[in-house]
Amino acid sequence: MAEERKGTNLMRLAVGAGIIAAGAVALAVFVPRRRWAAAAAPLRAAMNLPVAAAVAAWATGLWDDVTAPTPPIFDDMRPFDEF
C-alpha cells in the first residue's frame, strides 16, 4: 500500500515539475527581453537601498534560526504511560 501511494506522489511531483518547467520555457520564449528588463528595473533599484540589505540580512538570519538543528523535545506529560 505504501509503495502505491509513493508512486502516485512521485507521479504528481513529476507532473507538477513538468507544468512549471513548461511555463518557465513559455515565458522565456514568448516574453521579449525588453519587457523583462522593464519589469526588473524597479526591483534592481530597490536592491540598492540599505533597507533592502537589512531585510535580506534579517531573512537570512531567520532562515538560519528556523533550520538550525535542535535536540528532540519530549513533552509527553501523561503520568502512567508505561501501562
Side-chain angles (χ1 to χ4, degrees):
M1 184 74 175
E3 289 82 19
E4 292 175 11
R5 289 184 143 198
K6 186 176 182 180
T8 303
N9 288 339
L10 290 176
M11 185 63 159
R12 287 181 182 176
L13 180 66
V15 169
I19 290 170
I20 291 172
V25 169
L27 282 175
V29 169
F30 294 117
V31 176
R33 272 192 134 166
R34 64 181 181 276
R35 198 168 282 187
W36 283 111
L43 295 173
R44 195 174 295 126
M47 289 307 292
N48 291 332
L49 297 174
V51 173
V55 169
W58 169 78
T60 303
L62 186 64
W63 181 258
D64 287 341
D65 290 343
V66 169
T67 58
T70 58
I73 299 171
F74 301 104
D75 59 355
D76 189 7
M77 300 301 290
R78 293 179 288 179
F80 300 108
D81 196 23
E82 66 270 3
F83 294 111

